[in-house]
């Protein structure tokens, strides 16, 4: 078989949902550039077949930029003394959740640094109030916590949890997240799955030292965990971190990982991340045509938004309502519509 037949056959096998080996995944990530469009189209067809043409919305509130961790890649790391820190009050968070509800967006994502000020009790009270006062579906993204915390959050009414594994390489993980243990992160993810959370994991693409083999392992972690949601975004260097200046302008590689994730996991919810939109003006639309089916408009109040400085230049200026109406026009241009429904992972 010629090499081009081999590549064609691999794409056909991936689109048909046949089991992909690690070697297959590596080969898909390394396909010559001329196959990129075919790869994205295959992922786009699988997205359509499995998830339909609607784009699901999740409203995000970044309620605290305090963080006790020191991840080398992140502007919220505790070693960044240039950042002005904030915590939203419970009432501010509730008012923002009410705004999300008013806009018709059915899900709120509560995200923060790892901030122990938000104890189990405080988080549970917050969840209970949001459930009672808005009835929104609640996704938490507040990092590694104990099994007991996760149980309490669920009991209080949280439905979903996002905890990206960040990288499948134990060595890279150890270097990038000083004092953290990869196994512990995986244990957290298993706990969340076992408790019945709709669980999201994911990675960053373009990290220093990352190889296609490591990216293939990332995709296998997503598959083996049977994750329900996958956050796949480019690494963007922050000037106030030890990784300052390591520029990543490779949107193509992130789109490839996203497309392969769709082919491999079939019916997962995959956002077109803000990081992709930040890296490239068309980043979000390109992702939505390469397998993605979710967008997460940022509802964090203006006074705090710019201080949630995980990476620089975050896209999306203006209020969330303005952002959604801009997105709506963009999406119509590619034959897709916004759907104001919860968007659970289909069985
Ligand atoms: N503290 C929580 C949630 C907030 S961080 C946690 O770490 O899980 C949310 C996500 O931001 C992380 O999962 C990481 O993938 C992403 N992130 C952090 N720094 C980044 C950077 N420089 N470029 C791109 N994404 C980044
Ligand atoms: Fe903190 Fe999360 Fe940033 Fe790490 S990635 S420094 S845990 S906010």
């Amino acid at each position: 078989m010629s090499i081009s037949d081999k590549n064609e056959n691999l794409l056909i096998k991936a689109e048909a949902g046949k089991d992909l080996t690690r070697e297959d995944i590596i080969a898909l990530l390394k396909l010559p550039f001329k196959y990129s469009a075919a790869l994205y189209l295959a992922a786009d067809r699988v997205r359509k077949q499995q998830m339909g043409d609607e784009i699901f919305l999740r409203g995000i509130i970044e309620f605290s930029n305090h963080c006790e961790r020191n991840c080398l890649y992140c502007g919220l790391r505790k070693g960044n003394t240039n950042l002005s820190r904030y915590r939203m009050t419970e009432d501010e968070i509730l008012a923002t959740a009410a705004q999300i509800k008013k806009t018709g967006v059915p899900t709120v994502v509560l995200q923060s640094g790892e901030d122990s000020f938000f104890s189990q009790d405080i988080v549970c009270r917050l969840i209970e109030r949001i459930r009672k006062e808005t009835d929104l579906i609640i996704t938490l993204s507040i990092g590694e916590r104990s099994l007991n915390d996760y149980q309490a959050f669920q009991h209080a009414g949280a439905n979903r949890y996002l905890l990206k594994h960040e990288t499948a390489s134990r060595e890279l993980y150890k270097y990038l997240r000083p004092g953290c243990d990869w196994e512990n992160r995986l244990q957290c993810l298993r706990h969340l799955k076992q408790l019945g959370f709709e669980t999201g994991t994911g990675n960053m693409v373009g990290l220093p030292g990352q190889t296609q083999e490591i990216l293939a392992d990332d995709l296998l972690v997503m598959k083996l965990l049977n994750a329900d949601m996958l956050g796949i975004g480019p690494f963007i260097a922050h000037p106030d971190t030890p990784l300052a200046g390591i520029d990543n302008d490779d949107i193509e590689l992130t789109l490839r990982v996203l497309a392969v994730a769709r082919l491999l996991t079939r019916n997962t919810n995959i956002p077109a991340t803000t990081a992709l939109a930040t890296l490239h003006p068309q980043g979000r639309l390109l992702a939505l045509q390469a397998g993605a089916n979710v967008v997460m408009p940022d509802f964090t109040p203006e006074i705090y938004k710019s201080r949630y400085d995980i990476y620089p230049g975050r896209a999306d200026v203006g209020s969330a309502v303005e952002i959604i109406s801009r997105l709506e026009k963009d999406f119509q241009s590619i034959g897709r519509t916004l759907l104001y429904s919860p968007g659970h992972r289909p069985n």
Side-chain angles (χ1 to χ4, degrees):
M1 205 187 320
S2 73
I3 290 185
S4 67
D5 285 347
K6 227 172 144 180
N7 288 337
E8 305 281 350
N9 283 347
L10 180 58
L11 281 170
I12 291 167
K13 176 177 167 184
E15 182 169 351
K18 302 260 161 57
D19 280 344
L20 297 175
T21 64
R22 184 170 185 266
E23 284 62 42
D24 290 336
I25 297 171
I26 295 168
L28 285 167
L29 294 174
K30 289 186 174 173
L31 278 177
F33 186 71
K34 67 171 182 179
Y35 292 97
S36 285
L39 175 66
Y40 301 156
L41 283 170
D44 197 47
R45 284 190 294 267
V46 172
R47 182 272 310 155
K48 187 180 172 76
Q49 177 202 70
Q50 300 280 334
M51 313 301 284
D53 273 336
E54 289 80 22
I55 294 165
F56 298 112
L57 290 168
R58 328 274 192 221
I60 182 158
I61 308 176
E62 296 144 344
F63 65 91
S64 162
N65 71 352
H66 286 260
C67 190
E68 285 140 32
R69 302 273 193 200
N70 222 3
C71 305
L72 263 55
Y73 44 81
C74 177
L76 304 194
R77 68 198 303 271
K78 72 168 179 226
N80 180 9
T81 50
N82 287 338
L83 187 65
S84 138
R85 306 276 172 174
Y86 70 87
R87 284 186 186 109
M88 288 172 67
T89 65
E90 201 174 298
D91 285 339
E92 283 176 317
I93 298 171
L94 259 294
T96 312
Q99 205 203 331
I100 294 177
K101 175 79 181 172
K102 205 169 135 216
T103 315
V105 174
T107 315
V108 59
V109 181
L110 297 171
Q111 196 182 76
S112 68
E114 292 209 4
D115 183 3
S116 56
F117 171 88
F118 285 91
S119 61
Q120 183 186 111
D121 282 351
I122 293 181
V123 175
C124 285
R125 201 169 63 219
L126 202 54
I127 295 168
E128 281 158 11
R129 278 193 65 192
I130 294 176
R131 293 290 306 155
K132 197 155 138 244
E133 294 175 32
T134 70
D135 200 29
L136 290 166
I137 289 175
I138 299 173
T139 306
L140 296 176
S141 178
I142 60 174
E144 293 173 33
R145 307 285 289 233
S146 65
L147 174 59
N148 185 268
D149 276 2
Y150 290 150
Q151 266 163 338
F153 300 157
Q154 187 181 50
H155 203 240
N159 319 77
R160 302 175 179 172
Y161 206 104
L162 300 177
L163 186 74
K164 290 166 69 170
H165 70 273
E166 314 294 2
T167 175
S169 157
R170 284 30 162 207
E171 295 76 43
L172 199 52
Y173 188 91
K174 216 173 154 157
Y175 163 68
L176 292 171
R177 299 180 55 96
C180 297
D181 177 31
W182 193 86
E183 281 305 331
N184 190 56
R185 194 130 179 124
L186 264 279
Q187 192 54 44
C188 287
L189 283 160
R190 284 189 214 102
H191 284 154
L192 290 162
K193 250 330 247 190
Q194 280 158 14
L195 288 170
F197 279 95
E198 273 190 69
T199 304
T201 193
N203 65 344
M204 280 175 283
V205 182
L207 290 166
Q210 198 175 42
T211 59
Q212 260 97 342
E213 285 70 18
I214 292 175
L215 290 168
D217 289 335
D218 280 335
L219 287 155
L220 288 168
V221 167
M222 298 172 200
K223 174 84 179 172
L224 287 175
L225 277 171
N226 190 18
D228 306 289
M229 307 174 279
L230 306 176
I232 297 163
F235 159 67
I236 299 174
H238 189 296
D240 296 322
T241 65
L243 302 185
I246 303 184
D247 284 326
N248 168 22
D249 52 10
D250 191 355
I251 186 174
E252 167 78 19
L253 187 57
T254 306
L255 290 173
R256 261 186 197 224
V257 175
L258 196 153
V260 178
R262 170 61 70 206
L263 294 170
L264 189 67
T265 65
R266 318 301 286 180
N267 63 353
T268 46
N269 278 310
I270 306 183
T273 55
T274 308
L276 260 171
T278 303
L279 200 62
H280 188 287
Q282 296 297 313
R284 200 176 263 133
L285 286 186
L286 292 169
L288 289 167
Q289 295 172 95
N293 70 316
V294 172
V295 289
M296 300 170 65
D298 188 353
F299 281 77
T300 308
E302 264 335 291
I303 42 163
Y304 300 124
K305 213 171 173 174
S306 63
R307 287 149 80 187
Y308 198 76
D309 190 22
I310 285 188
Y311 50 81
R314 288 200 309 147
D316 291 343
V317 283
S319 73
V321 178
E322 287 162 359
I323 294 164
I324 292 173
S325 81
R326 273 203 310 270
L327 292 175
E328 207 146 22
K329 289 199 193 81
D330 284 350
F331 298 159
Q332 276 162 9
S333 74
I334 57 166
R336 306 274 283 281
T337 49
L338 284 181
L339 195 66
Y340 291 79
S341 93
H344 294 288
R345 183 185 188 188
N347 288 320

